[in-house]
Amino acid sequence: MGKRDTEQALGAESPVQFSVDRSSPVPLYFQLSQQLEAAIETGKLAPGSLLGNEIELAGRLGLSRPTVRQAIQSLVDKGLLVRRRGIGTQVVHSQVKRPLELSSLYDDLEAAGQKPATRVLLNTTIEADAEVAAALGIAEGAEVALVERLRLTHGEPVAHLRNHLPAGLLRLDTAELEETGLYRLMRSAGITLHSARQAVGARAATAEEGQRLDEPEGAPLLTMQRTTFDDTGRAVEFGSHVYRASRYAFEFQLLVRP
C-alpha cells in the first residue's frame, strides 16, 4: 500500500478532503483534478467557492506548484474553474450531464440542482417549412407554433432551444414558459408524452450563436433534434437545440446484446 497524504481545501460551506497516493502510477495532478472535479459535481465545492492561489494550494496539499497548476488548468479547460486576478481560483459551476431519455432540459437541470432559468426570445406562429412539416407529419405551409428560448443556469446561458408544435395543441403563455419547462406545460394540458426520435451531433458556433451563448465564434456546440410523440402516436413537438459543449454533456448507458 502506497503512502497516501490527506489534506483539506476549504469550500464555500465546509472543508473538503483530498488525498494523493504518491506510490500510484496515476499522476498526482490527475489524482487532484479528479477529486476536485468530483467535489464540484457533487456540490461539495459550490459555485463561487474559492480555492486560493496555486502557491497556497500547493503548500496546503504538500504538492509542487507545477502539479497543482496542471490540475487546475485541466479544470479551467473544462469550464469548471476560473482564475481571477487578485482573488485566486474560483469554482464556476459543474458541467450539466444530461441522460439520454425522454425528459426536458428544465427538469434535468432542476433535478441536478442547477437552478434553471428561461428567457423567451420568440413565441409566435409561422408556416411550417418542409423540415418541420415532415417532422410533425403535417402539410407544408400549415400553421405551427414556434417558441425560442434561452435556458440559463446560475445566470449563465447553457442552451438555445427552438421548438415547433402543432397549432392549437396547447396555450403557450410567455410568462409560463419563463417559469417552467415546455414538457411540464404539455403534461398539465393533458398530453401524455410517450416516445421520441432523437439525433445528437456537434458543430462550430456561428458569430450570432457565440454572442447568444457567451462563447467565441467557432466554439464547439452540441446539437440535438428531437421529434416527440404522445400516447396516440401523434407528433406533438419538434425541437432543434444547441448546447454549450463547455457547460453541457449527454450521458447514456450502453449494453451488450445477449
Side-chain angles (χ1 to χ4, degrees), residues 46-47 92-94 96 109 112-117 152-158:
V92 182
H93 46 62
S94 60
V96 179
L109 291 174
Q114 293 287 335
K115 300 179 181 179
L152 306 96
T153 63
H154 302 291
E156 290 195 24
V158 174

Side-chain angles (χ1 to χ4, degrees), residues 56-228:
E56 292 171 344
L57 279 174
R60 188 186 306 159
L61 299 173
L63 298 172
S64 69
R65 187 177 177 184
T67 295
V68 173
R69 182 187 301 120
Q70 193 172 4
I72 289 175
Q73 186 60 50
S74 68
L75 298 185
V76 169
D77 293 342
K78 290 184 177 183
L80 303 182
L81 298 177
V82 65
R83 290 186 175 97
R84 301 193 187 280
R85 185 179 298 275
I87 297 177
T89 304
Q90 188 172 29
V91 177
V92 182
H93 46 62
S94 60
Q95 186 184 51
V96 179
K97 292 184 178 180
R98 184 181 184 185
L100 278 178
E101 57 187 35
L102 187 50
S103 60
S104 73
L105 176 58
Y106 189 95
D107 290 342
D108 291 337
L109 291 174
E110 191 172 66
Q114 293 287 335
K115 300 179 181 179
T118 304
R119 188 181 305 155
V120 175
L121 306 178
L122 188 64
N123 183 7
T124 188
T125 57
I126 62 170
E127 293 184 354
D129 61 19
E131 181 184 32
V132 172
L136 294 177
I138 59 178
E140 187 174 350
E143 189 175 82
V144 294
L146 169 61
V147 177
E148 286 194 32
R149 295 161 295 158
L150 193 65
R151 184 60 44 77
L152 306 96
T153 63
H154 302 291
E156 290 195 24
V158 174
H160 176 241
L161 315 174
R162 182 179 173 90
N163 298 83
H164 293 85
L165 297 86
L169 180 71
L170 77 160
R171 177 176 172 271
L172 293 169
D173 180 77
T174 296
E176 290 181 338
L177 286 166
E178 291 191 338
E179 288 296 323
T180 189
L182 178 60
Y183 280 8
R184 286 189 185 180
L185 292 178
M186 295 173 77
R187 289 192 291 265
S188 296
I191 299 168
T192 302
L193 305 177
H194 178 266
S195 60
R197 184 172 59 245
Q198 178 169 289
V200 177
R203 60 176 173 78
T206 65
E208 181 181 1
E209 289 170 333
Q211 184 176 19
R212 181 184 294 131
L213 294 172
D214 196 21
E215 291 280 2
E217 182 179 359
L221 298 178
L222 295 173
T223 66
M224 184 188 74
Q225 282 196 332
R226 174 190 283 181
T227 302
T228 305

